[in-house]
């Protein structure tokens, strides 16, 4: 299975085999291209995907020692994401599928993230609870089987990584500054400042981080610019986010009685979050899985794996064009085997 991912500013391709597992994967990040503009410019992203996909795919096949004739299917990210960027990946995948006479499968980007830990040797069995925390998403999902996902809670405003990045920017730490903020927080004194734990006082598993950012702005305006104070502020902010994520994850573990917890997304690299989750998981007797960082962030290996799982389960591709900028995860269904013609 060839996987193609172009939903945002990473151009990624991967080859995945049912028996072999991941054969090769490549990610080209456009970060430099967009840096001058302070954020992702959709039209530039689309154009760069067009420019990079053919060369990346040729290099990928060469690295795996495979020829086009060895590819049995093409999986591509059909959404959610930037419409133009998605269309490039979709057009590319469909064209290859047509030329190579193999099926193409439309994959939901978040299904890719949810299944990414299955790229690892110690792949978690279903069911598991997934905490997806990145620059774009904050979600707790009950992963029961392929295509059977129950969204238990999600962010009503900023994603956790986005909140880290915005506060890091206020502290003059550059962009994306989540990791830099966490480093600064190491020197901070716990309890020197205290920020609210958003939505912990209410039932439910949704998150909201924009108010926390506002609290940080107010505290920073009133505080001095001394290094120790900045570190204290970073520590207070990190503690508030981590406590919220850990507590809501614990509630979700209690609710689902999941035997396993999977943590994905860039914020999953945060040391304090990992410590907090490890302690909670021990309390609940569940195992914790972290995909390696390159599978936590956007990649095509997870798309190839998801497409392979769906094709193997009987889903049939068609030659229609599917690119959905918005696509709620709740609309996803388990693989739908093609209708078997009735015997006459
Ligand atoms: O999954 P990811 O690589 O991709 C996007 O969603 O784009 O997540 C990136 C996010 C950024 O917001 C970054 O600041 C945050 O993960 N991040 C961290 C840490 N390392 C990366 N946030 C907190 N602590 C960290 N150590
Ligand atoms: Zn993603």
């Amino acid at each position: 299975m060839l996987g193609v991912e172009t939903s945002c500013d990473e151009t990624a391709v991967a080859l995945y085999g049912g028996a072999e597992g991941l054969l090769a994967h490549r990610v080209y990040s456009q970060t430099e291209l967009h840096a001058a503009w302070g954020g992702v410019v959709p039209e530039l992203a689309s154009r760069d995907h067009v420019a990079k996909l053919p060369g990346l795919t040729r290099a990928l096949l060469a690295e795996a020692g495979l020829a086009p004739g060895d590819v049995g299917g093409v999986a591509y990210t059909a959404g959610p994401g930037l419409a133009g960027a998605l269309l490039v990946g979709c057009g590319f995948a469909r064209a290859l599928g047509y030329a190579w006479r193999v099926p193409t499968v439309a994959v939901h980007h978040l299904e890719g993230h949810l299944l990414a830990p299955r790229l690892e040797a110690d792949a978690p069995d279903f069911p598991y609870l997934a905490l997806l925390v990145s620059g774009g998403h904050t979600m707790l999902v009950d992963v029961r089987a392929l295509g059977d996902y129950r969204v238990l809670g999600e962010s009503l405003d900023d994603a956790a990584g986005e909140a880290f990045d915005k506060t890091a920017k206020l502290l003059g730490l550059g962009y994306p500054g989540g990791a830099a903020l966490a480093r600064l927080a190491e020197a901070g004194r716990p309890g020197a400042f205290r920020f609210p734990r958003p939505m912990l006082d209410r039932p439910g598993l949704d998150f909201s981080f924009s108010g926390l950012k506002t609290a940080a702005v107010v505290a920073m305006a009133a505080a001095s610019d001394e290094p120790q104070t900045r570190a204290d502020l970073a520590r207070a902010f990190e503690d508030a986010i981590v406590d919220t994520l850990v507590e809501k994850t614990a509630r979700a573990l209690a609710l689902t009685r999941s035997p396993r917890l999977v943590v994905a997304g860039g914020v999953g690299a945060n040391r304090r979050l990992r410590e907090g989750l490890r302690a909670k998981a021990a309390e609940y007797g569940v195992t914790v899985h972290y995909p390696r960082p390159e599978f936590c962030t956007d990649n095509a290996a997870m798309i190839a794996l998801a497409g392979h799982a769906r094709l193997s389960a009987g889903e049939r591709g068609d030659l229609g064009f599917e690119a959905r900028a918005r696509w709620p995860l709740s609309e996803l269904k388990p693989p739908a085997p093609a209708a078997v013609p009735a015997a006459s």
Side-chain angles (χ1 to χ4, degrees), residues 133-136 161-162 164-165 176-179 182 265-267 269-271 296-298:
V133 271
S134 69
E162 199 178 352
F164 263 106
D165 293 340
V267 183
N270 186 277
R271 189 174 67 79
C296 273
T297 54
D298 286 351

Side-chain angles (χ1 to χ4, degrees), residues 248-308:
K248 296 254 165 169
T249 303
R251 285 186 199 171
L253 284 173
L255 180 79
T256 56
R257 296 173 186 275
S258 294
R260 284 165 284 273
L261 170 66
V262 162
V263 187
V267 183
N270 186 277
R271 189 174 67 79
R272 269 181 225 288
L273 177 64
R274 286 190 175 216
E275 280 171 11
L277 290 173
R278 194 185 308 125
K280 274 292 175 210
E283 206 178 294
Y284 284 81
V286 309
T287 53
V288 195
H289 298 254
Y290 292 98
R292 76 188 78 156
E294 66 197 278
F295 299 152
C296 273
T297 54
D298 286 351
N299 66 85
M302 66 186 192
I303 302 301
L305 177 142
H308 181 270

Side-chain angles (χ1 to χ4, degrees), residues 109 113 137 298:
H109 181 78
H113 276 301
H137 332 279
D298 286 351

